[in-house]
């Protein structure tokens, strides 16, 4: 794999059962690059390992006054120098390639998982953890993957030096062969403590990042209530905790580095002292002592790779664990108790009803269905579920609220609804959405949540989304009542911009008001023209007059298409063909808006915001009216 070939056509299916398994899967995925790096590393380190012997041969040639042999040694040193230079350059090139390709693979996997889970991701994994995984963790994982081949090449050179010394100078070779493994393994007892401290540092850094992102996102609100300094103070405390944890972690790694310096130095002193004794006794030649000393000196370089691989693994293991946790999340309900699927289901025929077995919600094909929930959080989870995301899946979810909703659904919906732990996914035309290919499910059902995001770019780029082509941007903007939004974009555009479609939108649409952003997002959803469109509070930030016109626009533009709107606004509900009341996690009533206002106190309480006393008085008025009508009928 070359860097020019990135991104991967298919990053593959990761082994996300644990962090080490994920690292092993990454390594297996680029064996070719690892072998290239290993081969160049062996060439480089073999040159480094052979240098002391060549120096020893040269000294021996000078001592024996053999110029021809000295010339041969010079040629040998030249060849070793070329091997060291070429091997080092290509080792660096291939190792960095391994790093970048591994990081790119992880980023592609994370991007694919983010697209698969959508907004459900941040409800199941903390926002700070998502940021940490997609930034720093990717780099640390790539570091370990590229360090493996260099470490193996370093091990090869160390073994080569030790074996060579055993044959070249057996007395000194035994000392080196015994001392080098002790040096390599000396820091192992300290690694668990160093890893623990590094984990504490990363945990504190993740919390600080999450606190910072929350503070920045809510800065306007914090300034309004005078809480800016309070949260900045909290962030200062969190950042100081991170600094202290980093210092404690650095102290342990400094100790490990010191061991990697002191012990090789002690070995070198031992070799020189013992070798000088052997030379004075006439048991070895001076050239052999110089060769042994040079060999031990050159071992300092490959021995540093033991420290590097220990650090790389210690830092990458928790990073890989976090990445594996995110990548193991699925959009299917793992607790549903359904048999495993052998492959994706076939897409349903056009014109099927949308049905949620858990709540009993039915959205007939081609009709405008409004859903009223007393709990806004339940409405948001229901919207995600209608898009193929079960409401209670995955670690990190709101377990308490979801469990309560599931218990209520199981108590009220009965056996036919299929609620509870065995509840299947939402069905479209009788086919479970989570059994479809993700692209197919997204094409059939589009969910716009209550806080949609606008990406920076021109308005034309905003509407450059997969669509059926049946609805153009002008019709969608008109239905969403975006005339004033276009005027605002033109006024803020550079001189010479005449087409509002060429006007630029700032990051997340921050230059626009909440209502303007909401209407642009609604227009974008209308342009896609999916078979089923699910809108969660699409007009919560607009005034009543605009809301009435938007309701008419949605009803007209989506005529003959299945549309589900989760809202409590009477202006929207009155335009719906069918209104469904969700109470206690299941369908409580179905009818038109006016019918439910007359007959369903729970519906009236949600839509009109009536108090308990107002509900009681309203019930008395209805009772008196019914008694009067009965008397009139009897007298007639």
């Amino acid at each position: 794999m070359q860097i020019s070939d990135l991104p991967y056509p298919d990053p593959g299916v990761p082994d996300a059962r644990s962090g080490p398994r994920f690292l092993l899967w990454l390594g297996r995925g680029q064996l070719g690059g690892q072998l290239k790096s290993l081969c160049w590393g062996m060439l480089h380190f073999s040159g480094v390992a052979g240098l002391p012997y060549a120096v020893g041969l040269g000294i021996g040639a000078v001592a024996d006054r053999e110029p021809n042999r000295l010339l041969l040694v010079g040629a040998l040193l030249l060849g070793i120098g070329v091997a060291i230079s070429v091997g080092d350059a290509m080792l660096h090139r291939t190792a960095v390639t391994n790093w970048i390709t591994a990081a790119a693979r992880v980023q592609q996997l994370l991007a694919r998982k983010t697209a698969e889970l959508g907004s459900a991701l941040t409800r199941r994994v903390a926002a700070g953890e998502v940021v940490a995984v997609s930034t720093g963790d990717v780099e640390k994982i790539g570091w370990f993957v590229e360090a493996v081949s260099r470490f193996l090449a370093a091990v090869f050179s160390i073994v080569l030096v030790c074996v060579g010394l055993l044959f070249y100078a057996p007395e000194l070779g035994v000392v080196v062969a015994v001392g080098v493994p002790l040096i390599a393994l000396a820091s192992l007892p300290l690694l668990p403590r160093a890893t623990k401290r590094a984990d504490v540092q990363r945990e504190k850094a993740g919390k600080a990042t999450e606190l910072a992102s929350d503070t920045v996102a809510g800065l306007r609100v914090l300034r309004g209530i005078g809480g800016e300094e309070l949260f900045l103070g909290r962030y200062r405390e969190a950042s100081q905790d991170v600094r202290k944890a980093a210092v404690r972690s650095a102290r342990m790694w400094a100790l490990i580095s010191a061991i990697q310096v002191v012990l090789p130095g002690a070995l070198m002193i031992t070799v020189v002292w013992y070798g000088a004794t052997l030379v004075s006794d006439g048991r070895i030649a001076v050239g052999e002592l110089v060769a042994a000393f040079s060999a031990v000196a050159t071992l300092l370089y490959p021995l540093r790779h033991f420290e590097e691989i220990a650090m790389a693994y210690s830092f990458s293991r928790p990073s890989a664990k976090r990445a594996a946790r995110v990548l193991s999340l699925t959009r299917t309900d793992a607790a549903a108790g359904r048999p495993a699927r052998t492959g994706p289901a076939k897409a349903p025929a056009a014109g099927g009803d949308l049905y949620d077995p858990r709540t009993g919600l039915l959205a007939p094909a081609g009709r405008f269905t409004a859903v009223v929930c007393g709990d806004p959080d339940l409405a948001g989870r229901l919207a995600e579920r209608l898009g193929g995301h079960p409401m209670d899946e995955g670690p990190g979810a709101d377990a308490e609220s979801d469990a309560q909703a599931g218990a209520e659904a199981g108590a009220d919906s009965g056996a036919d609804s299929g609620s509870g732990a065995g509840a299947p996914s939402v069905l479209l035309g009788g086919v479970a959405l989570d059994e479809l290919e993700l692209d197919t499910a997204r094409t059939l059902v589009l969910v716009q949540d209550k806080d949609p995001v606008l990406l920076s770019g021109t308005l034309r780029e905003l509407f450059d989304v997969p669509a059926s082509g049946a609805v153009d941007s002008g019709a969608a903007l008109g239905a969403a009542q975006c005339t004033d939004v276009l005027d605002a974009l033109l006024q803020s555009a550079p001189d010479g911009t005449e087409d509002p479609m060429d006007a630029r939108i700032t990051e997340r649409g921050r230059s626009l008001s909440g209502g303007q952003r909401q209407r642009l997002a609604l227009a974008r959803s209308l342009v896609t023209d999916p078979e089923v469109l699910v809108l969660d509070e699409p007009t919560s930030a607009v005034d009543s007059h605009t809301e009435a016109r938007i309701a008419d626009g949605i009803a007209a533009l989506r005529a003959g298409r299945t549309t589900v709107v989760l809202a409590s606004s009477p202006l929207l509900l009155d335009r719906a063909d069918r209104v469904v009341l969700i109470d206690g996690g299941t369908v409580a009533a179905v009818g038109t808006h006016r019918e439910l206002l007359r007959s369903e106190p729970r519906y009236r309480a949600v839509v009109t915001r009536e108090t308990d006393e107002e509900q009681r008085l309203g019930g008395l008025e209805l009772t008196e009216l019914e008694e009067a009508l009965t008397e009139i009928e009897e007298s007639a």
Side-chain angles (χ1 to χ4, degrees):
M1 187 72 183
Q2 301 296 324
I3 296 179
S4 59
D5 298 329
L6 296 175
Y8 288 94
D10 180 13
V13 180
D15 186 350
R17 289 176 290 177
S18 65
R21 288 178 182 272
F22 180 60
L23 291 174
L24 181 61
W25 177 84
L26 279 177
R28 289 202 308 265
Q30 51 187 70
L31 282 178
Q34 293 287 351
L35 289 176
K36 288 180 183 179
S37 184
L38 178 60
C39 291
W40 288 116
M42 291 172 64
L43 176 64
H44 169 66
F45 284 109
S46 295
V48 173
L51 192 60
Y53 303 110
V55 172
L57 291 175
I59 293 175
V62 172
D64 296 339
R65 300 180 182 277
E66 296 182 4
N68 292 333
R69 193 172 68 172
L70 186 60
L71 289 175
L72 293 176
V73 171
L76 177 61
L77 286 173
L78 178 62
I80 290 175
V82 171
I84 292 175
S85 301
V86 174
D88 189 26
M90 296 305 298
L91 171 61
H92 178 74
R93 178 184 178 89
T94 53
V96 170
T97 300
N98 290 337
W99 185 344
I100 294 176
T101 52
R105 187 190 294 272
V106 177
Q107 287 176 329
Q108 280 187 254
L109 291 170
L110 291 172
R112 185 174 68 180
K113 183 59 63 174
T114 301
E116 177 184 341
L117 296 176
S119 60
L121 175 62
T122 52
R123 288 204 298 269
R124 300 163 61 186
V125 181
E129 185 171 350
V130 175
V131 173
V133 171
S134 58
T135 54
D137 286 341
V138 169
E139 182 180 354
K140 293 180 178 65
I141 292 171
W143 176 28
F144 174 74
V145 171
E146 67 93 10
V148 168
S149 55
R150 288 190 286 110
F151 167 71
L152 294 177
V155 172
F156 170 79
S157 69
I158 290 174
V159 173
L160 188 64
V161 168
C162 292
V163 173
L165 276 179
L166 287 174
F167 287 97
Y168 187 75
E171 295 89 345
L172 294 177
V174 171
V175 176
V176 175
V178 172
V180 167
L182 294 178
I183 295 173
L185 301 176
S187 58
L188 284 182
L190 299 177
L191 286 179
R193 185 175 299 179
T195 302
K196 183 178 180 180
R197 291 188 180 185
D199 289 344
V200 171
Q201 176 196 350
R202 280 188 291 273
E203 181 181 356
K204 292 182 179 295
K207 292 180 179 179
T209 302
E210 185 174 356
L211 179 61
S213 62
D214 289 343
T215 303
V216 172
L219 195 57
R220 180 180 299 179
V221 177
L222 291 175
R223 286 175 176 171
I225 62 176
E228 180 181 5
E229 289 300 325
L230 174 62
F231 274 79
L232 289 178
R234 292 179 181 177
Y235 179 71
R236 291 190 190 98
E237 294 177 3
S239 63
Q240 288 301 313
D241 289 341
V242 175
R243 182 188 63 81
K244 294 176 182 177
V247 170
R248 292 187 72 249
S249 177
R251 286 173 179 167
M252 185 57 64
W253 289 111
L255 177 59
I256 293 175
S257 297
I259 291 175
Q260 294 294 321
V261 173
V262 172
L263 293 184
L267 177 62
M268 188 178 298
I269 293 173
T270 303
V271 169
V272 172
W273 173 79
Y274 183 55
T277 303
L278 295 178
V279 170
S280 63
D281 293 342
R283 297 166 61 182
I284 62 172
V286 175
E288 293 176 336
L289 174 60
V290 173
F293 171 79
S294 301
V296 174
T298 57
L299 283 179
L300 296 178
Y301 172 50
L303 279 173
R304 300 294 295 182
H305 288 79
F306 281 81
E307 177 189 356
E308 182 193 16
I309 196 66
M311 291 183 66
Y313 181 73
S314 298
F315 280 95
S316 66
R317 182 183 58 80
S319 297
K321 181 180 179 181
R322 282 195 293 265
R325 177 170 176 256
V326 174
L327 295 175
S328 64
L329 301 176
T330 61
R331 69 187 181 99
T332 57
D333 193 350
R338 286 173 287 164
R341 299 188 301 271
T342 58
K346 184 180 179 181
D353 296 339
L354 184 69
Y355 176 64
D356 178 19
R358 174 169 298 176
T359 61
L361 172 63
L362 174 66
R367 301 186 67 184
F368 185 177
T369 301
V371 180
V372 176
C373 296
D375 181 4
D377 292 334
L378 176 60
R381 294 195 300 272
L382 178 58
E384 287 294 331
R385 179 169 170 78
L386 293 177
H389 299 292
M391 290 188 291
D392 58 351
E393 70 169 342
D398 189 349
E400 182 177 352
S401 59
D402 286 346
Q404 180 180 357
E408 292 171 347
D412 296 338
S413 60
D416 293 338
S417 68
S419 62
S425 165
V426 169
L427 306 176
L428 178 62
V431 178
L433 285 179
D434 65 4
E435 294 182 359
L436 297 172
E437 288 280 3
L438 181 60
D439 293 342
T440 303
R442 292 291 175 270
T443 302
L444 294 173
V445 182
L446 173 65
V447 178
Q448 177 182 304
D449 60 25
K450 64 183 65 178
D451 187 23
V453 175
L454 300 181
L455 302 179
S456 59
T458 65
L459 193 59
R460 194 182 310 279
E461 293 171 343
L462 178 69
F463 287 96
D464 186 17
V465 293
S468 67
V471 178
D472 59 30
S473 57
L477 289 167
Q481 300 298 309
C482 293
T483 304
D484 64 314
V485 184
L486 301 181
D487 294 339
L489 289 174
L490 274 180
Q491 290 177 2
S492 62
D495 295 338
T497 303
E498 299 180 356
D499 189 350
M501 298 299 292
D502 294 328
R504 293 195 64 83
I505 300 173
T506 57
E507 179 189 2
R508 300 179 69 89
R510 297 188 188 279
S511 61
L512 302 174
S513 68
Q516 290 173 331
R517 290 195 299 269
Q518 196 173 56
R519 282 178 281 160
L520 280 181
L522 174 60
R524 178 180 57 187
S525 299
L526 293 173
V527 163
T528 61
D529 189 39
E531 182 174 336
V532 178
L533 177 61
V534 180
L535 304 172
D536 185 9
E537 294 288 356
T539 58
S540 59
V542 301
D543 60 80
S544 57
H545 297 288
T546 305
E547 185 178 29
R549 292 194 295 269
I550 290 175
D552 291 332
I554 294 175
L557 197 62
R558 292 288 300 173
R561 307 287 272 171
T562 306
T563 306
V564 180
V565 177
L566 291 95
S568 58
S569 168
L571 294 172
L572 274 173
L573 299 173
D574 195 40
R575 267 69 170 183
D577 302 322
R578 191 169 184 266
V579 179
V580 179
L581 172 65
I582 303 291
D583 185 61
T586 57
V587 172
V590 179
T592 64
H593 170 60
R594 301 185 184 224
E595 291 172 352
L596 293 178
L597 274 180
R598 290 193 300 267
S599 62
E600 182 54 63
R602 291 174 294 181
Y603 178 82
R604 189 167 57 251
V606 174
V607 174
T608 64
R609 277 73 171 177
E610 285 183 346
T611 64
D612 293 340
E613 181 65 19
E614 290 171 337
Q615 290 185 51
R616 187 183 65 80
L617 294 176
L620 291 176
E621 293 173 358
L622 288 175
T623 302
E624 292 172 357
L625 179 60
E626 290 174 355
E627 291 177 352
L629 290 174
T630 303
E631 292 178 0
I632 293 173
E633 290 175 356
E634 291 177 351
S635 62

